[in-house]
Amino acid sequence: MIPEIGHYALVLALLLAIVQSILSLAGAARRDTAWMEAGRMAAFAQLGVVTIAFLALMQAYVVSDFSVLNVVENSHSLKPMLYKVSGVWGNHEGSMLLWVLMLALFGAAVASFGRNIPPTLKARVLGVQGLIGLGFLLFMLLTSNPFVRIDPAPLDGNDLNPLLQDPGLAFHPPFLYLGYVGFSVAFSFAVAALIEGRVDPAWGRWVRPWTLVAWASLTMGIAMGSWWAYYELGWGGWWFWDPVENASLMPWLAGTALLHSAIVVEKRDALKTWTILLAILTFSLSLLGTFLVRSGVLTSVHAFAVDPQRGVAVLILLGLATGGALLLFALRAHSLKVGGLFAPVSREGALVLNNLLLSVSAAVVLIGTLMPLLLDVFGHKISVGAPYFNFITPFLAIPLVLFMAAGPFLSWKRADLPGVLGRLWVAGLLTAIVVLAALWQQGVRPVMALVGIAMAGWAVFGAVWEIADRVKLFRVPARDSLSRARGLPLGAWGTATAHAGMGIAIAGMVGTSFWLTEDVRVMGIGDKAAIAGYELTLDKVEDLRVANYTTEMGHFTVRRDGQTIATLTPERRWYPVAKMQTTEAAIYTTFAADLYAVLGEPNGDGKGWVVRLYHHPLVPWIWIGSLVMVLGGLLSVSDRRLRVGVPARRAAPAVSNLQPAE
C-alpha cells in the first residue's frame, strides 16, 4: 500500500508542477497577484508530496519490501541499516527521486525566502523551476518509476553494489545533487530576467546566495567522492579524470566563474549578458552530467549502466532546457542595458580574466570528456586520459591563482598595479620561504612541484594578507585591528577563506602527485618492508565473516625509529550475493602525509600476498582545503548583505486582479 501512495504522490507532484509553472508564468505576465500566489503555494505543495514519495521508497528499503522491484535490485535483508537507507539513492530510479526532491526543495526555498524579490520576477523564477520539475517528473513516471511492483516477490534482494556500501558514498550523492540542482535556481533567475528584459545590481545580489549554496554543496560532494575513490578503490589515487568525475568538475568550474561574474553585476552593473549566459551554461553542464551517468555511453565505477533509451530521454530534457534558454538568450540579450565601463587593470578586469580562465578550463574538460564519445560514433577509437588534462591544466591554473590572490587588492574601475604588487610583498616573501623549504626537503626536481608549491603558498598567504591589509594589521594598534576584524562583513571573510582553502588543496595535490613513494612486493607472515622512514611488518592474515560479506584481513605493525606507532588492517572483501570483490585500503594519516597499505591477491605458492604500499606527502591537505573552501562558501552566504542589503525601492502601486476596461 505504501509504495502505491508514493506512486500517487509522484503523479500529484506532476500535476502541481503544471500548476506551478502555468499559474506563475501566466500570473506574472498578467500581473495577477492571486495567480502568482497560487503558483507559490503549489511550490510548497509539490515539496510536500515529493517528500511523501521519497519517504515511501525509503520505508520500502528499511523494511526490505521485496515486492518493490527497485528494492529487489538494490538491497538485501542482511545489509546494514545505513546502506539500506543510502541504497534509496544508490541506483538510477532512486537517485532521480532524490534529484526531484532537491528540485522541489529549492523551489519551496525560493517561494519562502525570496521576500525582497519583485513579485513578477519571483513568479517567473518559480514558473521556470516548475517547468524543470515537470520535465523530470514526466521522465520518472514514464521511464524510471521507482515503485514498480514484482509478483511473486523474491525471498531476498540482489544487494547494493558493494563499492557503494561505504559511508563516503552514503553522503556523497546528496551533496552532489544539492550542487547540481542548486544551479537550477541561477538558471531560473537567468531565464526570468531574460523574459523581463532587465538585469540590474539587485538581480546580481539575489542570485548570489543560491549560487553560493550550490557551489559549496557541489564542492563538498566532489571532495567526498574524491576521498571515497582514494581509500575505497585501492589504487592510491584521488582523481582519475574519469568521465563521470569530469561531469561534476565542469559545472563546478562554470559555477565558480558565475559566482565571480555575479559580483561584477552587483557591484558595477557590468557583465550582465555574460553572467546570464554563465547561469544557463552552468546548469546545462549539470544536466549533461546527468545524461553521461544515465545514458549507458560511459563505462565507469560511478555510472549507472542503464537502458540507453533513458539516456535519450535525458538528452531530450537537456536539449529542451538548454536549447530553449539559449534561444531566449539570443532573442532578448540585446535588450539588456550595458553597464559601467572599466579599465583592464581593475578588479572588474581581474574578475573577467578569472571568468575567461575558468570557462576555458571547463571547455578543456568538456572536449577531453566528449571527444572520445563523438569520434566513437564515426568508428574512431581514441583515449583521452590524464596526460591530456595534466599537460593543459597548469597553463590555466597558474595565471588563475596568480590573479586570485592579487584581485581583491585591486580597486574597482581603475587600479594601480605596481601599488597593488607593493602591498603584496609580505605574501610574496612568505611564498618564497615556503618554496625554499620545499627545495631543501625534496630537492630541485621536479621543477613543476616547486611551481605548484609556489602557487599554493601565494594563494594562502595572499588570502591571509588580504584580511591583514583590511584590518590594517601592524599599522594601527592591535585593539583597532581587532575592532576592524569584527566589523568586516562575512562575505570578505568567506572570500579569503575560500581562496586560502584552494591554496591548501593545491599543496595537497602537488605533494601527492610529485613526491609519492610506492612499493609493490610479495610479503609473507613476519616479512618487513620499509617505505619513507616507516617499517611495516605483516603479522598475520585472517579470514572473517561480517554481516553480508566475508573478508581476508591483513595485520601490519607500523614502526618509526623503532617505536610502534600504528596497526594497519587492509582487507579484501567478498560479497557473495553480488558476487563481487572489493579492496579496503588501510591508512595511517598525519597532518603532513598518509601511509597507505593495500592487501592484494595471494601469490602462487599461497605463502605470501601481493602488498602495495604508498606514502602520500600532503595528501590530507586536499580534503582539508576542500572543507575550508566549503566553510568560505557558507560564511559568504551568511553575509547579511545578501539577505537584506538590497536598497529599498519606492513602493509600486498595488496590483489589482481587475482587468482594465475595454
Side-chain angles (χ1 to χ4, degrees):
M1 179 64 182
I2 292 180
E4 279 70 32
I5 293 175
H7 187 192
Y8 295 150
L10 286 181
V11 175
L12 183 56
L14 176 68
L15 299 176
L16 287 168
I18 296 173
V19 171
Q20 177 183 332
S21 55
I22 292 178
L23 290 186
S24 296
L25 292 173
R30 293 163 51 91
R31 302 184 63 82
D32 190 305
T33 305
W35 284 24
M36 290 188 287
E37 180 63 18
R40 191 176 78 91
M41 298 310 296
F44 293 118
Q46 186 183 163
L47 174 62
V49 295
V50 173
T51 301
I52 290 172
F54 188 81
L55 293 176
L57 185 60
M58 183 176 291
Q59 189 270 348
Y61 271 85
V62 168
V63 303
S64 296
D65 183 355
F66 295 118
S67 68
V68 178
L69 179 61
N70 188 261
V71 179
V72 173
E73 293 178 340
N74 301 284
S75 190
H76 190 272
S77 59
L78 296 179
K79 194 167 63 172
M81 183 56 68
L82 172 63
Y83 304 130
K84 286 185 178 181
V85 173
S86 63
V88 174
W89 53 79
N91 59 88
H92 168 72
E93 292 83 1
S95 68
M96 292 309 303
L97 182 54
L98 177 63
W99 177 287
V100 172
L101 177 65
M102 297 293 186
L103 195 61
L105 178 64
F106 275 103
V110 173
S112 177
F113 298 118
R115 296 177 182 175
N116 58 347
I117 303 175
T120 55
L121 178 64
K122 179 176 177 178
R124 289 184 170 111
V125 171
L126 288 173
V128 177
Q129 285 288 114
L131 288 175
I132 298 171
L134 172 62
F136 277 96
L137 285 164
L138 269 176
F139 170 73
M140 282 188 62
L141 289 170
L142 295 178
T143 71
S144 308
N145 184 2
F147 297 106
V148 173
R149 292 278 198 174
I150 182 173
D151 187 28
L155 296 178
D156 220 324
N158 300 334
D159 207 359
L160 179 67
N161 184 339
L163 290 174
L164 304 182
Q165 296 187 39
D166 178 87
L169 258 291
F171 301 103
H172 158 68
F175 280 106
L176 204 63
Y177 283 15
L178 271 174
Y180 282 159
V181 180
F183 286 125
S184 70
V185 181
F187 174 87
S188 297
F189 266 97
V191 173
L194 287 172
I195 294 173
E196 293 206 341
R198 185 182 65 187
V199 176
D200 54 20
W203 180 91
R205 185 166 295 188
W206 290 321
V207 82
R208 275 181 62 203
W210 306 103
T211 308
L212 276 166
V213 169
W215 179 87
S217 300
L218 187 56
T219 302
M220 177 64 80
I222 292 173
M224 294 184 73
S226 171
W227 180 53
W228 165 80
Y230 171 69
Y231 71 78
E232 175 68 21
L233 299 183
W235 59 285
W238 55 274
W239 191 265
F240 193 63
W241 294 108
D242 179 280
V244 179
E245 291 175 336
N246 295 347
S248 64
L249 179 61
M250 289 184 289
W252 185 87
L253 291 169
T256 306
L258 173 61
L259 268 180
H260 292 83
S261 182
I263 295 174
V264 181
V265 175
E266 177 189 349
K267 301 294 185 181
R268 294 286 299 141
D269 196 23
L271 299 185
K272 292 185 285 190
T273 55
W274 172 244
T275 305
I276 291 287
L277 182 60
L278 269 179
I280 294 171
L281 294 179
T282 300
F283 183 58
S284 298
L285 289 172
S286 297
L287 293 178
L288 177 63
T290 306
F291 164 72
L292 291 175
V293 172
R294 289 165 176 80
S295 62
V297 301
L298 296 178
T299 301
S300 167
V301 296
H302 307 76
F304 297 108
V306 296
D307 185 351
Q309 292 182 352
R310 291 175 175 174
V312 172
V314 176
L315 190 60
I316 292 173
L317 283 176
L318 172 62
L320 290 174
T322 305
L326 290 178
L327 177 61
L328 183 62
F329 177 81
L331 296 174
R332 302 299 300 272
H334 68 278
S335 65
L336 300 180
K337 183 182 176 182
V338 177
L341 300 177
F342 53 87
V345 180
S346 62
R347 186 174 297 189
E348 297 98 322
L351 290 171
V352 168
L353 182 60
N354 159 287
N355 269 230
L356 177 63
L357 292 169
L358 287 168
S359 300
V360 172
S361 299
V364 165
V365 177
L366 179 66
I367 292 170
T369 303
L370 295 186
M371 187 59 68
L373 303 177
L374 295 175
L375 291 180
D376 188 47
V377 174
F378 299 100
H380 299 284
K381 296 284 186 180
I382 68 167
S383 176
V384 177
Y388 162 81
F389 296 105
N390 292 339
F391 175 75
I392 297 178
T393 300
F395 293 102
L396 299 170
I398 291 172
L400 180 64
V401 174
L402 286 175
F403 283 94
M404 183 178 75
F409 289 86
L410 296 170
S411 57
W412 295 105
K413 198 171 182 179
R414 184 183 299 276
D416 175 23
L417 185 58
V420 168
L421 295 177
R423 292 163 64 190
L424 277 165
W425 70 269
V426 174
L429 177 62
L430 293 173
T431 299
I433 292 173
V434 168
V435 173
L436 289 174
L439 182 63
W440 176 68
Q441 279 279 5
Q442 302 292 341
V444 70
R445 293 185 180 276
V447 174
M448 285 305 298
L450 299 179
V451 174
I453 290 298
M455 290 169 54
W458 179 251
V460 173
F461 296 129
V464 172
W465 193 246
E466 177 199 350
I467 296 297
D469 186 69
R470 280 174 172 263
V471 302
K472 297 187 175 181
L473 190 65
F474 307 130
R475 290 184 286 160
V476 298
R479 181 180 300 176
D480 292 346
S481 291
L482 183 59
S483 176
R484 286 175 175 272
R486 291 195 187 110
L488 280 182
L490 285 175
W493 285 104
T495 299
T497 301
H499 287 178
M502 174 60 75
I504 295 170
I506 290 172
M509 297 172 193
V510 171
T512 188
S513 298
F514 290 102
W515 297 323
L516 168 71
T517 305
E518 179 181 0
D519 185 8
V520 180
R521 62 172 66 195
V522 175
M523 296 183 67
I525 304 301
D527 287 350
K528 297 180 179 180
I531 183 171
Y534 295 95
E535 181 185 80
L536 289 87
T537 304
L538 178 57
D539 297 319
K540 64 178 179 178
V541 177
E542 60 180 337
D543 295 324
L544 301 171
R545 182 173 185 85
V546 183
N548 60 329
Y549 64 88
T550 60
T551 182
E552 190 175 28
M553 180 184 292
H555 292 259
F556 292 82
T557 298
V558 182
R559 296 181 178 87
R560 190 178 184 94
D561 299 327
Q563 300 293 319
T564 299
I565 60 173
T567 299
L568 297 180
T569 55
E571 301 178 51
R572 288 196 314 124
R573 293 179 180 177
W574 172 254
Y575 291 80
V577 176
K579 295 181 173 56
M580 184 173 176
Q581 183 173 286
T582 66
T583 299
E584 301 292 323
I587 302 172
Y588 170 68
T589 185
T590 66
F591 178 74
D594 278 359
L595 180 63
Y596 185 106
V598 179
L599 183 69
E601 298 282 346
N603 69 341
D605 59 12
K607 296 182 180 180
W609 291 262
V610 176
V611 174
R612 298 198 305 277
L613 304 175
Y614 302 92
H615 182 256
H616 289 278
L618 302 183
V619 73
W621 293 18
I622 296 175
W623 300 290
I624 294 173
S626 299
L627 292 176
V628 172
M629 282 193 284
V630 173
L631 175 61
L634 295 179
L635 285 173
S636 294
V637 82
S638 302
D639 194 324
R640 185 174 180 271
R641 296 174 303 168
L642 296 182
R643 291 181 278 116
V644 296
V646 178
R649 293 172 178 251
R650 181 176 298 177
V655 179
S656 172
N657 292 332
L658 298 177
Q659 301 299 313
E662 296 182 0

